[in-house]
Every structure is written in structure tokens, then in C-alpha cells.
Amino acid sequence: MVLVQGGTFTMGCTDEQGSDCFYSEKPAHRVTLSNYYISKYEVTFDQYDAFCDATGRNKPSDNGWGRGRRPVINVTWHDAVVFCEWLSRETGKLYRLPTAAEWEYTAR
């Protein structure tokens, strides 16, 4: 996990981005975030498979691309929430999915 310093940014597509926006989220609006932590890396198949083994869930398909340290694919938003809840119980630390604003701020 890495600390992201909070701040204020324009969320959504701005006129300056023009055709660089891959989606049309207008109107753009200002958002202020406090500091938060986010994972530096994607959850891997190794990590997610350990969760599946521990909880008896079915493992997602890797579409034939391989598992191991590759980022997990073919999981739903609900699957990801349940993974975070399990990880929180296992570690005693709080894990959650980032909000849309946190995700966009981090990506920018």
C-alpha cells in the first residue's frame, strides 16, 4: 500500500482533454480528497487463488493466459468487495476498493 496525498482536482472529462477522454463524463467537477492508501500493484492470481482456497469459492478463469503473479481477471465488483473483506479479516487491517474519485485522482 502506498500513501496518496489528498488534494483537489477536476474529476471527469475536461475541455482541455478533448478527444483524449475515452468516456464522456460531463460536467467535470472539482473534488477534494483527504489522504488515503491504495495498493501499488494489482491483485494477482496467486493472491486471489489463496482467497478462493480459503473460502471455497470458485477460481476465476485466466482465459488461458496463465495465473501466478499475473493480475487477476474475470472477477466482479462484488467478488472484489468480498476479497477485501476477507483480506481485512485475515490481516487485521482495513482494506476496501477505492472510490471512483480516488481511482481517477490516483490514475492522473
Side-chain angles (χ1 to χ4, degrees):
M1 302 298 283
V2 294
L3 174 66
V4 177
Q5 295 290 330
T8 301
F9 75 108
T10 301
M11 184 173 176
C13 292
T14 62
D15 291 336
E16 292 81 30
Q17 291 171 296
S19 63
D20 289 341
C21 273
F22 64 92
Y23 59 92
S24 180
E25 185 180 321
K26 298 229 181 193
H29 55 284
R30 301 290 288 166
V31 175
T32 300
L33 297 170
S34 300
N35 295 347
Y36 58 95
Y37 287 88
I38 195 165
S39 181
K40 187 173 181 178
Y41 304 103
E42 297 91 346
V43 173
T44 66
F45 270 105
D46 281 343
Q47 294 167 316
Y48 198 84
D49 287 351
F51 156 69
C52 291
D53 290 341
T55 61
R57 293 175 72 89
N58 292 329
K59 293 179 181 176
S61 171
D62 64 9
N63 290 352
W65 297 342
R67 300 182 87 78
R69 295 179 63 194
R70 289 184 169 85
V72 70
I73 57 173
N74 295 317
V75 297
T76 66
W77 176 87
H78 184 262
D79 293 333
V81 168
V82 175
F83 173 81
C84 289
E85 292 168 348
W86 172 81
L87 188 59
S88 295
R89 284 192 306 275
E90 290 295 306
T91 64
K93 298 178 181 178
L94 179 61
Y95 291 92
R96 63 173 176 80
L97 297 178
T99 65
E102 289 169 342
W103 178 255
E104 186 171 334
Y105 184 71
T106 302
R108 287 174 183 247

